[in-house]
Amino acid sequence: MGADHVSPGARVAEAVQTTVGSLVSPATERQREIRRVIALCLPFSVLLVFSGVFPLTEMVRISFSESRLVTEGFTLEFYRTLAADPYYRTIAFNTVWFAAATTVTSICVAVPVAHALEKYDLPAKSVILTVLSFPNSLPGIVAAFMIIILFGNTGVLSNVIAFLSGQSRIDVAIATSVGGLFFAYIYSMIPRALLLLRGTYAEVNTDAEEAARSLGATPLETFRYVTLPQIKPGLIGAFILVFRTGLAIFGTVLILKGLLVWTLQIDRELAQGFNIAQASAMATVWFVVVLGFTVLMLRYTSAEVSI
């Protein structure tokens, strides 16, 4: 029989055998390079499969399961609930608008800070950078506790505002309101935006800025027409990174509870009645939205923002 009569299965088996053989006994430099890459990435690949791919697959299966305690059958009931129930639609709307608002605010604050750090020779710059990057190492629960210390019923700023305005401390305390949650979010998100924007600012062509100024452009015009186009990839990258963070924050909202968002509702589905199928459906939707958003936005930037 000729080569045309070889079955597809046999061809796949032959290809696998050839690939394995080239990895075990590489004959060319390219094959040896591929083997080194696989060996270097093997520990992470194993971890990715067992702690990422496997639980994610099980989560998706559970979200379609008809049974509550075992994975069996197929139903779209839990996704229909997410789409049709006004309660879940409100939570989705809250999550998106709040993440978008805190993202835009964080970037608006981070841009001038990055500009100042990269353009000017500031005293004690290393200390400033340490202070600004410190929130990156704080868990959300600690950030929430700091907001309670500042804006709680007996908070420092609540006392000051109450003293100056003559109002009750309870009336001016905002720690567990949307305002308190907003401050807690941007406290965690500004350093992340700053991290990317500083790298972008370091690559800005200062000669072009000086040329624009020498031609009579004001600082604002120089920023708008010369600097802004150059930092655009960093802005988009910061938007991706910070918006994803806004969608994922849980510890902060768990403590402050100023707004019911997607991650908090997933916790409630599990804690109140162990509705694991509904929680899995919500987690699956969250994963698809975040992954789709990241892939889509990465088409518009060259900034280093990992998926």
Side-chain angles (χ1 to χ4, degrees), residues 60-67 70-76:
V60 174
R61 288 181 59 198
I62 292 171
S63 69
F64 290 107
S65 174
E66 292 179 333
S67 177
V70 295
T71 306
E72 63 180 17
F74 180 85
T75 179
L76 294 174

Side-chain angles (χ1 to χ4, degrees), residues 36 71 102 110 157 302:
R36 285 195 292 271
T71 306
T102 50
L157 293 181
S302 58

Side-chain angles (χ1 to χ4, degrees), residues 3-305:
D4 293 341
H5 299 287
V6 177
S7 67
R11 290 178 180 175
V12 171
E14 183 181 359
V16 171
Q17 186 178 9
T18 303
T19 303
V20 172
S22 68
L23 293 175
V24 174
S25 302
T28 66
E29 181 57 32
R30 177 59 180 166
Q31 291 175 346
R32 283 190 282 273
E33 182 179 309
I34 292 175
R35 188 172 70 168
R36 285 195 292 271
V37 171
I38 292 176
L40 291 171
C41 297
L42 185 60
F44 177 74
S45 300
V46 173
L47 181 67
L48 179 65
V49 170
F50 285 98
S51 66
V53 176
F54 176 71
L56 183 62
T57 304
E58 283 300 301
M59 182 184 73
V60 174
R61 288 181 59 198
I62 292 171
S63 69
F64 290 107
S65 174
E66 292 179 333
S67 177
R68 179 178 178 182
L69 300 178
V70 295
T71 306
E72 63 180 17
F74 180 85
T75 179
L76 294 174
E77 175 190 349
F78 304 104
Y79 290 95
R80 290 196 194 99
T81 301
L82 294 180
D85 193 329
Y87 176 75
Y88 291 103
R89 291 207 302 267
T90 300
I91 296 172
F93 177 73
N94 289 343
T95 306
V96 173
W97 82 255
F98 195 71
T102 50
T103 297
V104 172
T105 304
S106 300
I107 292 176
C108 288
V109 173
V111 167
V113 175
H115 187 96
L117 289 172
E118 295 301 321
K119 294 293 182 182
Y120 302 104
D121 187 17
L122 301 177
K125 191 172 182 177
S126 59
V127 176
I128 296 174
L129 289 174
T130 302
V131 172
L132 290 175
S133 62
F134 184 66
N136 276 332
S137 60
L138 287 179
I141 291 177
V142 176
F145 184 60
M146 293 170 68
I147 293 298
I148 291 174
I149 290 175
L150 289 176
F151 299 110
N153 292 342
T154 59
V156 177
L157 293 181
S158 297
N159 280 327
V160 172
I161 295 172
F163 174 77
L164 295 176
S165 65
Q167 294 180 281
S168 165
R169 289 180 304 181
I170 305 298
D171 293 336
V172 300
I174 62 168
T176 55
S177 68
V178 175
L181 191 62
F182 184 85
F183 281 115
Y185 263 54
I186 63 173
Y187 179 73
S188 302
M189 293 158 72
I190 288 174
R192 290 173 169 80
L194 193 59
L195 187 69
L196 261 176
L197 289 171
R198 280 194 62 221
T200 304
Y201 258 103
E203 299 177 358
V204 169
N205 184 350
T206 56
D207 292 340
E209 292 179 323
E210 292 173 0
R213 294 298 304 275
S214 65
L215 292 173
T218 64
L220 185 59
E221 289 173 334
T222 303
F223 175 80
R224 179 179 178 184
Y225 296 108
V226 180
T227 307
L228 188 58
Q230 295 187 68
I231 66 171
K232 183 180 175 182
L235 287 173
I236 297 175
F239 184 84
I240 297 172
L241 182 65
V242 177
F243 186 70
R244 285 191 321 194
T245 303
L247 294 177
I249 285 180
F250 173 66
T252 305
V253 74
L254 178 65
I255 299 299
L256 298 180
K257 294 183 173 62
L259 189 70
L260 185 54
V261 295
W262 206 252
T263 51
L264 181 59
Q265 182 58 32
I266 292 175
D267 176 70
R268 289 187 174 184
E269 297 288 350
L270 294 172
Q272 301 173 3
F274 195 60
N275 193 353
I276 188 171
Q278 192 64 67
S280 296
M282 294 186 71
T284 301
V285 170
W286 183 93
F287 179 82
V288 170
V289 168
V290 172
L291 181 62
F293 165 78
T294 304
V295 172
L296 177 64
M297 292 299 292
L298 283 178
R299 299 176 59 184
Y300 302 99
T301 181
S302 58
E304 292 293 334
V305 182

